[in-house]
Amino acid sequence: MRALVVANPAATSTNTKVRDVLVSALGSQLKVDLAETTHRGHARELGREAHADGVDIVVALGGDGTVNEVVDGLLHAGPGADVPTLAVVPGGSTNVFSRALGRSRDPVEATAEILDSIRAGRTRRVSLGTASASGTSTAPVEPVDPAAAPAIAARDAAAHPDWTDPRWFVFAAGLGFDAEVIARVEAQRARGRRSTGALYVREGTTAFLLGRERRRPAVTVTVPGEEPRDGVFLCLVSNVSPWTYLGARPINPSPEASFDSELDVFALGRMGSVRMLRTLRQVMGDRPAVQGRRIHRWHDLPEVTLTASRPQGWQLDGDHLGTATGLRLRSVPAALRVVA
């Protein structure tokens, strides 16, 4: 089988020596080509080319941002039998998608697991999500067949030019506070800081204590068949569980989220420091059971729309993508085949 390894040389937890070892190991069973990314969006371009060239397997070697771009490229024309199978070797700081697939955190061990699965023919289809962003739209949500999500999102984009074309995400999306924290961390990384759990904790604490979003919540959550919930400052949309990790410890606001179900949503309204600390302890517990008057949760949603009264940061799979006042998210079951 033909394989393309898409490697991010700037990934946090890998290097050239490790990359060469992994490519050599994969070459024992596959006809491997290697492509290194050189700029943001390059992995998306490589994913599209791999699809067009009829590659059998694309191996993403990098963090969750690299995986996101590869998937967005592979699925640029939507799901189909001709889309290459995806394998993921962890190379970032958290590697949520890779860990959700059951891969080892060590890239060498993960490669050995991938080779074992290829030999045994172990693959599976996983659900993913699509997201369209808008600067002004507050259009209501209408229940739809989730399998038709990409076509409907394209129709909506044509009817409402301010909605962006749908973009794929693999494990999480958000509008508001979490995106602000990610933006702060990315700014620190641009200054040479290493991405660590401690850095996320510091920037999250600073944003919570000094930022205005939790004092003046701007986000409204709309799901099919329910009245909108406003006064939200943080909204996490999950495709898997846990949502992310703090080192080895999972942060799990939506423990029922799964590749075999649709989207889960966890949202927080205005709250003080003491209540926020209590909520954090709950989501980091061994058996998360998050409850509270200003905590909103939904499970297995085909779609959700987030709107905001002022521009908010938004993120997909841990990458900050700027600001928006609307985010339309839809689940697409069995969207992509992956090496299990």
Side-chain angles (χ1 to χ4, degrees):
M1 291 189 291
R2 294 175 59 207
L4 174 69
V5 176
V6 178
N8 179 0
T12 304
S13 59
T14 190
N15 54 48
T16 301
K17 183 177 180 180
V18 171
R19 181 208 66 195
D20 291 344
V21 169
L22 302 183
V23 170
S24 177
L26 292 168
S28 66
Q29 287 188 220
L30 304 166
K31 182 180 179 181
V32 177
D33 289 318
L34 170 66
E36 287 194 331
T37 59
T38 59
H39 54 271
R40 190 164 188 168
H42 193 190
R44 183 180 302 108
E45 298 165 11
L46 294 169
R48 291 187 67 149
E49 292 171 6
H51 185 186
D53 292 344
V55 170
D56 298 298
I57 297 176
V58 174
V59 181
L61 171 56
D64 289 309
T66 302
V67 175
N68 174 278
E69 288 194 4
V70 168
V71 169
D72 202 51
L74 291 176
L75 295 174
H76 70 281
D82 60 337
V83 175
T85 299
L86 175 72
V88 180
V89 177
S93 57
T94 51
N95 306 300
V96 176
F97 186 72
S98 175
R99 290 158 86 168
L101 292 174
R103 292 279 80 88
S104 168
R105 295 177 64 186
D106 179 84
V108 176
E109 292 181 6
T111 301
E113 294 167 357
I114 288 169
L115 289 171
D116 285 344
S117 293
I118 291 172
R119 280 192 291 266
R122 289 193 297 269
T123 64
R124 61 176 293 199
R125 284 198 166 271
V126 297
S127 66
L128 301 175
T130 63
S132 297
S134 172
T136 58
S137 177
T138 56
V141 177
E142 301 172 356
V144 298
D145 175 3
I152 292 172
R155 179 204 68 192
D156 290 344
H160 305 281
D162 57 337
W163 286 99
T164 63
D165 291 336
R167 175 166 170 169
W168 293 88
F169 65 94
V170 298
F171 70 88
L175 179 74
F177 180 77
D178 65 314
E180 178 186 351
V181 174
I182 290 169
R184 287 172 173 266
V185 170
E186 289 183 356
Q188 293 294 331
R189 292 188 66 185
R191 298 186 184 103
R193 292 290 303 275
R194 183 178 175 84
S195 178
T196 64
L199 180 60
Y200 275 92
V201 169
R202 192 189 77 178
E203 295 302 325
T205 301
T206 301
F208 184 81
L209 295 176
L210 302 181
R212 69 173 181 170
E213 299 306 331
R214 59 106 174 182
R215 294 183 178 87
R216 296 174 52 209
V219 177
T220 297
V221 183
T222 304
V223 303
E226 296 188 19
E227 290 295 317
R229 308 282 179 90
D230 57 11
V232 167
F233 79 94
L234 177 148
C235 187
L236 309 177
V237 180
S238 297
N239 191 48
V240 299
S241 176
W243 171 67
T244 191
Y245 293 85
L246 191 59
R249 180 174 288 277
I251 299 177
N252 207 358
S254 299
E256 295 178 291
S258 163
F259 283 133
D260 298 317
S261 62
E262 298 184 286
L263 300 175
D264 280 32
V265 178
F266 175 84
L268 296 179
R270 181 175 179 177
M271 60 179 57
S273 301
V274 173
R275 184 176 292 178
M276 186 66 176
L277 286 172
R278 186 184 304 125
T279 302
L280 284 173
R281 284 198 298 269
Q282 289 176 320
V283 302
M284 295 177 68
D286 293 332
R287 300 180 65 183
V290 186
Q291 297 178 342
R293 185 164 56 90
R294 290 176 177 161
I295 297 173
H296 312 291
R297 297 175 60 192
W298 294 268
H299 171 59
D300 202 20
L301 294 176
E303 60 183 279
V304 58
T305 294
L306 313 177
T307 55
S309 59
R310 60 180 179 271
Q312 301 285 293
W314 66 291
Q315 62 87 12
L316 297 182
D317 295 335
D319 272 0
H320 186 268
L321 298 175
T323 62
T325 53
L327 200 60
R328 177 175 290 159
L329 306 127
R330 290 186 169 117
S331 175
V332 184
L336 182 66
R337 185 173 297 281
V338 298
V339 176

